[in-house]
Amino acid sequence: MPNLNIKVFLASWLISLGISTLASAFDVSSSSNFVAYWGQSSAGSQQSLAEYCSGSAIDAIVIAFLYQFPDTKLDLSGTCKSTFPGSSLLHCPDVAKDIKYCQSQGKAVLLSMGGAAGAYGFSSDADASKYADTVWDMFLGGSAAQRPFDDAVLDGIDLDIEGGSTTGYAAFVSQLRSHFTSSGGSKQYYIAGAPQCVYPDAMLGSTLDAAWFDMVFVQFYNNYCGLNNYPGSFNYDAWDQWAKTKSANKNVKIFIGAPGSQSAAGSGYVSASTLASIVSSVRDKYSSTLGGVMTWDASQAMGSSMWGQAVSSSIKSATPASGTSMRRRRRRN
């Protein structure tokens, strides 16, 4: 059995016995977090979730996608093919083990809802609140007869809403947060959003203003405000202003979303060194709102080019230990 498989097995076994294996935990207040989406294998060479969690480069993984709701359907692009008997709902025990392993390594693991392709949306606030109960029971701290990741408890939900109606998402977040509160606070849960860089975002704009988000993964690609147009029309400043003046959570963290390779997006890719320079400039100007870098996706960023490893290393090495600023889907295209 390969060494990593042994580590995954031992982590899962110890957790089942109630023995903590947690490494240094994910710190949402940091400005040097590196977050990667996983599940769609956009490069066609996706490794297991555990493989991406075995090193120090990635701080949080976002599983993509829960692409259909409220009639729940998942797509992990072939990573998981089994379903519950008599159902089209994926049942992914191997992914569940990997989730536990990632968490034992101090990584946060979220589930992304939406994506560029899918059939999703709510008819009303009541519909959205009801589905928040379902998500809590199926993926987070609740209980359900069918849980796609068995007893693995995810660390939060990401909203990557790129189509359909804008109805209900604020109510969804509010109801989900009520579950976070009523669970007693023994586990930290997160809500993230992934808007386009165009401000305000057409699909998530009103929800971002009304609901409490911990992290916002701004997609600085496939748009005029992308990283490839830095410094000209690159608009981190607009998102910084939103965080400070309109966000319900004035401590919300903004992540610079970047394609992990040339083929990961239609436009917006920049080299690791260029991105490191942009992050450094943003940190100098907007240190209180910067959360780090998000990339689409792990298969692109963590491949043979080592782009993701280089980006993660550069943004971490440029951050003081205290966390203060130094002076100096599918495929979404």
Side-chain angles (χ1 to χ4, degrees), residues 234-253:
F234 177 74
N235 65 341
Y236 187 97
D237 59 330
W239 288 98
D240 174 79
Q241 277 298 106
W242 165 80
K244 292 174 178 175
T245 62
K246 289 191 174 183
S247 173
N249 175 15
K250 296 303 186 289
N251 293 315
V252 65
K253 287 295 184 177

Side-chain angles (χ1 to χ4, degrees), residues 10-22 100 151:
L10 287 175
S12 183
W13 178 64
L14 289 169
I15 290 169
S16 72
L17 295 177
I19 300 172
S20 175
T21 60
L22 184 64
K100 292 179 183 179
D151 61 347

Side-chain angles (χ1 to χ4, degrees), residues 196-278:
Q196 308 291 315
C197 60
V198 178
Y199 180 83
D201 182 76
M203 297 307 304
L204 275 178
S206 60
T207 302
L208 289 171
D209 289 348
W212 186 284
F213 284 80
D214 300 289
M215 298 173 281
V216 176
F217 306 137
V218 182
Q219 298 179 46
F220 286 104
Y221 46 92
N222 294 336
N223 272 302
Y224 72 88
C225 41
L227 288 161
N228 55 310
N229 291 320
Y230 178 89
S233 52
F234 177 74
N235 65 341
Y236 187 97
D237 59 330
W239 288 98
D240 174 79
Q241 277 298 106
W242 165 80
K244 292 174 178 175
T245 62
K246 289 191 174 183
S247 173
N249 175 15
K250 296 303 186 289
N251 293 315
V252 65
K253 287 295 184 177
I254 301 169
F255 287 68
I256 298 173
S261 73
Q262 287 277 10
S263 62
S267 65
Y269 173 77
V270 295
S271 69
S273 60
T274 297
L275 182 55
S277 177
I278 294 172

Side-chain angles (χ1 to χ4, degrees), residues 70-150:
D71 179 18
T72 305
K73 288 189 179 180
L74 293 162
D75 176 15
L76 306 184
S77 234
T79 299
C80 170
K81 297 180 180 179
S82 63
T83 59
F84 288 100
S87 170
S88 60
L89 181 64
L90 290 180
H91 180 210
C92 311
D94 288 339
V95 177
K97 292 175 184 176
D98 284 1
I99 290 169
K100 292 179 183 179
Y101 173 73
C102 290
Q103 292 169 331
S104 77
Q105 300 305 298
K107 322 292 186 183
V109 185
L110 286 73
L111 175 64
S112 185
M113 295 172 54
Y120 54 81
F122 304 119
S123 60
S124 65
D125 284 356
D127 186 34
S129 294
K130 182 179 179 181
Y131 193 65
D133 297 338
T134 298
V135 168
W136 173 255
D137 288 339
M138 291 181 68
F139 300 103
L140 301 169
S143 60
Q146 295 181 338
R147 286 178 58 97
F149 305 128
D150 292 334

Side-chain angles (χ1 to χ4, degrees), residues 24-33 59 106 190 253 255 291 323:
S24 180
F26 174 70
D27 179 9
V28 72
S29 68
S30 172
S31 66
S32 60
N33 283 315
D59 300 291
Y190 304 100
K253 287 295 184 177
F255 287 68

